[in-house]
Short mmCIF file of all heavy atoms in Angstrom, two decimals:
data_model
loop_
_atom_site.label_atom_id
_atom_site.label_comp_id
_atom_site.label_asym_id
_atom_site.label_seq_id
_atom_site.Cartn_x
_atom_site.Cartn_y
_atom_site.Cartn_z
N SER A 155 0.45 30.70 27.84
CA SER A 155 0.57 31.99 28.51
C SER A 155 1.84 32.11 29.33
O SER A 155 2.17 33.20 29.80
CB SER A 155 -0.65 32.24 29.40
OG SER A 155 -0.65 31.37 30.51
N LYS A 156 2.54 31.00 29.51
CA LYS A 156 3.78 31.01 30.29
C LYS A 156 4.98 31.09 29.35
O LYS A 156 4.94 30.56 28.22
CB LYS A 156 3.87 29.77 31.17
CG LYS A 156 2.78 29.71 32.25
CD LYS A 156 2.98 28.56 33.18
CE LYS A 156 1.89 28.50 34.24
NZ LYS A 156 1.87 29.71 35.10
N PRO A 157 6.05 31.73 29.77
CA PRO A 157 7.22 31.87 28.88
C PRO A 157 7.72 30.55 28.32
O PRO A 157 8.05 30.45 27.13
CB PRO A 157 8.26 32.55 29.78
CG PRO A 157 7.46 33.29 30.80
CD PRO A 157 6.25 32.43 31.06
N GLY A 158 7.79 29.52 29.18
CA GLY A 158 8.27 28.23 28.70
C GLY A 158 7.33 27.61 27.69
O GLY A 158 7.77 26.98 26.71
N GLY A 159 6.03 27.77 27.90
CA GLY A 159 5.06 27.25 26.95
C GLY A 159 5.15 27.98 25.63
O GLY A 159 5.09 27.37 24.55
N ARG A 160 5.31 29.31 25.70
CA ARG A 160 5.44 30.10 24.47
C ARG A 160 6.68 29.70 23.68
O ARG A 160 6.60 29.46 22.46
CB ARG A 160 5.51 31.59 24.82
CG ARG A 160 5.72 32.50 23.62
CD ARG A 160 5.95 33.95 24.04
NE ARG A 160 6.15 34.79 22.87
CZ ARG A 160 7.32 34.94 22.25
NH1 ARG A 160 8.40 34.29 22.70
NH2 ARG A 160 7.42 35.73 21.19
N SER A 161 7.81 29.62 24.34
CA SER A 161 9.05 29.31 23.63
C SER A 161 9.02 27.90 23.05
O SER A 161 9.53 27.65 21.95
CB SER A 161 10.26 29.47 24.56
OG SER A 161 10.18 28.57 25.66
N THR A 162 8.38 26.97 23.78
CA THR A 162 8.30 25.60 23.28
C THR A 162 7.38 25.53 22.07
O THR A 162 7.67 24.82 21.10
CB THR A 162 7.79 24.66 24.39
OG1 THR A 162 8.66 24.75 25.52
CG2 THR A 162 7.74 23.22 23.90
N LEU A 163 6.28 26.28 22.10
CA LEU A 163 5.40 26.30 20.94
C LEU A 163 6.13 26.84 19.72
O LEU A 163 6.01 26.29 18.61
CB LEU A 163 4.15 27.12 21.21
CG LEU A 163 3.18 27.13 20.01
CD1 LEU A 163 2.50 25.77 19.86
CD2 LEU A 163 2.14 28.23 20.13
N LEU A 164 6.91 27.89 19.90
CA LEU A 164 7.64 28.44 18.76
C LEU A 164 8.63 27.43 18.19
O LEU A 164 8.84 27.38 16.97
CB LEU A 164 8.36 29.73 19.17
CG LEU A 164 7.45 30.94 19.41
CD1 LEU A 164 8.26 32.11 19.96
CD2 LEU A 164 6.74 31.35 18.12
N ARG A 165 9.23 26.62 19.05
CA ARG A 165 10.12 25.56 18.56
C ARG A 165 9.32 24.53 17.77
O ARG A 165 9.79 24.03 16.73
CB ARG A 165 10.86 24.91 19.72
CG ARG A 165 11.90 25.83 20.36
CD ARG A 165 12.56 25.23 21.58
NE ARG A 165 13.44 24.09 21.27
CZ ARG A 165 14.28 23.55 22.14
NH1 ARG A 165 14.36 24.06 23.38
NH2 ARG A 165 15.05 22.53 21.81
N LEU A 166 8.12 24.21 18.23
CA LEU A 166 7.26 23.29 17.49
C LEU A 166 6.84 23.90 16.16
O LEU A 166 6.83 23.23 15.12
CB LEU A 166 6.02 22.94 18.30
CG LEU A 166 6.10 21.76 19.27
CD1 LEU A 166 4.86 21.70 20.14
CD2 LEU A 166 6.29 20.45 18.50
N VAL A 167 6.47 25.18 16.19
CA VAL A 167 6.02 25.86 14.97
C VAL A 167 7.11 25.83 13.90
O VAL A 167 6.83 25.69 12.70
CB VAL A 167 5.61 27.31 15.30
CG1 VAL A 167 5.51 28.17 14.03
CG2 VAL A 167 4.30 27.33 16.06
N ALA A 168 8.36 25.93 14.31
CA ALA A 168 9.46 25.90 13.34
C ALA A 168 9.52 24.59 12.58
O ALA A 168 10.09 24.53 11.48
CB ALA A 168 10.79 26.15 14.07
N THR A 169 8.93 23.53 13.14
CA THR A 169 8.94 22.22 12.49
C THR A 169 7.62 21.88 11.81
O THR A 169 7.50 20.81 11.21
CB THR A 169 9.23 21.11 13.53
OG1 THR A 169 8.09 20.94 14.39
CG2 THR A 169 10.45 21.45 14.37
N ALA A 170 6.63 22.76 11.93
CA ALA A 170 5.26 22.44 11.52
C ALA A 170 4.93 23.04 10.16
O ALA A 170 5.60 23.94 9.66
CB ALA A 170 4.27 22.93 12.57
N ASP A 171 3.87 22.52 9.57
CA ASP A 171 3.31 23.08 8.33
C ASP A 171 2.06 23.90 8.60
O ASP A 171 1.79 24.88 7.90
CB ASP A 171 2.97 21.94 7.35
CG ASP A 171 4.18 21.14 6.96
OD1 ASP A 171 4.94 21.62 6.10
OD2 ASP A 171 4.37 20.04 7.52
N VAL A 172 1.28 23.48 9.59
CA VAL A 172 -0.04 24.08 9.83
C VAL A 172 -0.24 24.24 11.33
O VAL A 172 0.10 23.34 12.11
CB VAL A 172 -1.17 23.18 9.26
CG1 VAL A 172 -2.54 23.79 9.54
CG2 VAL A 172 -0.96 22.94 7.77
N VAL A 173 -0.79 25.37 11.73
CA VAL A 173 -1.31 25.57 13.07
C VAL A 173 -2.81 25.86 12.94
O VAL A 173 -3.21 26.70 12.13
CB VAL A 173 -0.62 26.74 13.80
CG1 VAL A 173 -1.37 27.10 15.09
CG2 VAL A 173 0.82 26.38 14.14
N ILE A 174 -3.62 25.16 13.73
CA ILE A 174 -5.06 25.41 13.76
C ILE A 174 -5.41 25.90 15.16
O ILE A 174 -5.12 25.22 16.16
CB ILE A 174 -5.87 24.14 13.42
CG1 ILE A 174 -5.51 23.65 12.02
CG2 ILE A 174 -7.37 24.42 13.52
CD1 ILE A 174 -6.19 22.34 11.63
N GLU A 175 -6.02 27.08 15.26
CA GLU A 175 -6.37 27.63 16.57
C GLU A 175 -7.76 28.26 16.50
O GLU A 175 -8.23 28.66 15.43
CB GLU A 175 -5.34 28.66 17.03
CG GLU A 175 -5.21 29.88 16.14
CD GLU A 175 -6.04 31.07 16.64
OE1 GLU A 175 -6.69 30.94 17.72
OE2 GLU A 175 -6.06 32.10 15.96
N ASN A 176 -8.43 28.32 17.66
CA ASN A 176 -9.74 28.97 17.69
C ASN A 176 -9.91 29.86 18.92
O ASN A 176 -11.02 30.01 19.44
CB ASN A 176 -10.87 27.94 17.61
CG ASN A 176 -11.00 27.09 18.87
OD1 ASN A 176 -10.04 26.97 19.64
ND2 ASN A 176 -12.17 26.50 19.08
N PHE A 177 -8.80 30.45 19.37
CA PHE A 177 -8.91 31.43 20.45
C PHE A 177 -9.65 32.67 19.95
O PHE A 177 -9.69 32.95 18.76
CB PHE A 177 -7.52 31.83 20.94
CG PHE A 177 -6.73 30.70 21.53
CD1 PHE A 177 -5.67 30.13 20.84
CD2 PHE A 177 -7.03 30.21 22.79
CE1 PHE A 177 -4.93 29.09 21.38
CE2 PHE A 177 -6.30 29.17 23.35
CZ PHE A 177 -5.25 28.61 22.64
N ARG A 178 -10.25 33.41 20.89
CA ARG A 178 -10.88 34.65 20.49
C ARG A 178 -9.83 35.57 19.88
O ARG A 178 -8.67 35.60 20.33
CB ARG A 178 -11.53 35.31 21.70
CG ARG A 178 -12.96 35.78 21.41
CD ARG A 178 -13.57 36.49 22.58
NE ARG A 178 -13.99 35.58 23.62
CZ ARG A 178 -14.68 35.96 24.70
NH1 ARG A 178 -14.99 37.24 24.85
NH2 ARG A 178 -15.04 35.09 25.60
N PRO A 179 -10.17 36.34 18.83
CA PRO A 179 -9.19 37.22 18.19
C PRO A 179 -8.46 38.08 19.22
O PRO A 179 -9.07 38.68 20.10
CB PRO A 179 -10.03 38.07 17.24
CG PRO A 179 -11.16 37.16 16.86
CD PRO A 179 -11.47 36.38 18.11
N GLY A 180 -7.14 38.12 19.06
CA GLY A 180 -6.30 38.90 19.97
C GLY A 180 -5.65 38.08 21.05
O GLY A 180 -4.69 38.56 21.69
N THR A 181 -6.12 36.86 21.28
CA THR A 181 -5.57 36.06 22.38
C THR A 181 -4.14 35.64 22.09
O THR A 181 -3.25 35.81 22.94
CB THR A 181 -6.44 34.82 22.64
OG1 THR A 181 -7.77 35.25 22.96
CG2 THR A 181 -5.88 33.99 23.79
N LEU A 182 -3.88 35.10 20.91
CA LEU A 182 -2.50 34.71 20.58
C LEU A 182 -1.58 35.93 20.59
O LEU A 182 -0.43 35.86 21.05
CB LEU A 182 -2.44 34.02 19.22
CG LEU A 182 -2.90 32.56 19.15
CD1 LEU A 182 -2.71 32.02 17.75
CD2 LEU A 182 -2.15 31.69 20.16
N GLU A 183 -2.09 37.05 20.10
CA GLU A 183 -1.30 38.27 20.10
C GLU A 183 -0.95 38.70 21.53
O GLU A 183 0.16 39.20 21.79
CB GLU A 183 -2.05 39.38 19.37
CG GLU A 183 -2.09 39.23 17.85
CD GLU A 183 -3.04 38.14 17.35
OE1 GLU A 183 -3.82 37.60 18.17
OE2 GLU A 183 -2.99 37.81 16.15
N LYS A 184 -1.89 38.50 22.45
CA LYS A 184 -1.63 38.85 23.85
C LYS A 184 -0.47 38.05 24.41
O LYS A 184 0.28 38.53 25.28
CB LYS A 184 -2.90 38.58 24.66
CG LYS A 184 -2.78 38.87 26.15
CD LYS A 184 -4.11 38.62 26.86
CE LYS A 184 -4.48 37.13 26.83
NZ LYS A 184 -5.72 36.85 27.59
N TRP A 185 -0.28 36.83 23.92
CA TRP A 185 0.82 35.98 24.37
C TRP A 185 2.06 36.14 23.50
O TRP A 185 3.00 35.33 23.59
CB TRP A 185 0.38 34.51 24.36
CG TRP A 185 -0.76 34.20 25.29
CD1 TRP A 185 -1.06 34.81 26.46
CD2 TRP A 185 -1.74 33.17 25.10
NE1 TRP A 185 -2.17 34.24 27.03
CE2 TRP A 185 -2.62 33.22 26.22
CE3 TRP A 185 -1.98 32.21 24.12
CZ2 TRP A 185 -3.70 32.35 26.37
CZ3 TRP A 185 -3.06 31.35 24.25
CH2 TRP A 185 -3.90 31.42 25.38
N ASP A 186 2.07 37.13 22.62
CA ASP A 186 3.17 37.32 21.66
C ASP A 186 3.35 36.08 20.79
O ASP A 186 4.47 35.66 20.48
CB ASP A 186 4.49 37.65 22.39
CG ASP A 186 4.44 39.02 23.06
OD1 ASP A 186 3.80 39.93 22.51
OD2 ASP A 186 5.03 39.16 24.14
N LEU A 187 2.20 35.53 20.36
CA LEU A 187 2.20 34.38 19.47
C LEU A 187 1.31 34.64 18.25
O LEU A 187 0.69 33.72 17.71
CB LEU A 187 1.71 33.12 20.21
CG LEU A 187 2.69 32.53 21.24
CD1 LEU A 187 2.00 31.46 22.08
CD2 LEU A 187 3.92 31.95 20.53
N GLY A 188 1.23 35.89 17.85
CA GLY A 188 0.44 36.24 16.68
C GLY A 188 1.16 35.86 15.39
O GLY A 188 2.23 35.25 15.39
#
Side-chain angles (χ1 to χ4, degrees):
S155 69
K156 295 186 180 298
R160 177 187 180 277
S161 62
T162 303
L163 181 72
L164 288 174
R165 290 175 69 169
L166 272 171
V167 164
T169 72
D171 299 281
V172 179
V173 169
I174 300 176
E175 63 96 2
N176 70 338
F177 297 106
R178 227 183 284 187
T181 301
L182 283 183
E183 286 74 9
K184 179 178 66 177
W185 298 330
D186 293 326
L187 288 170

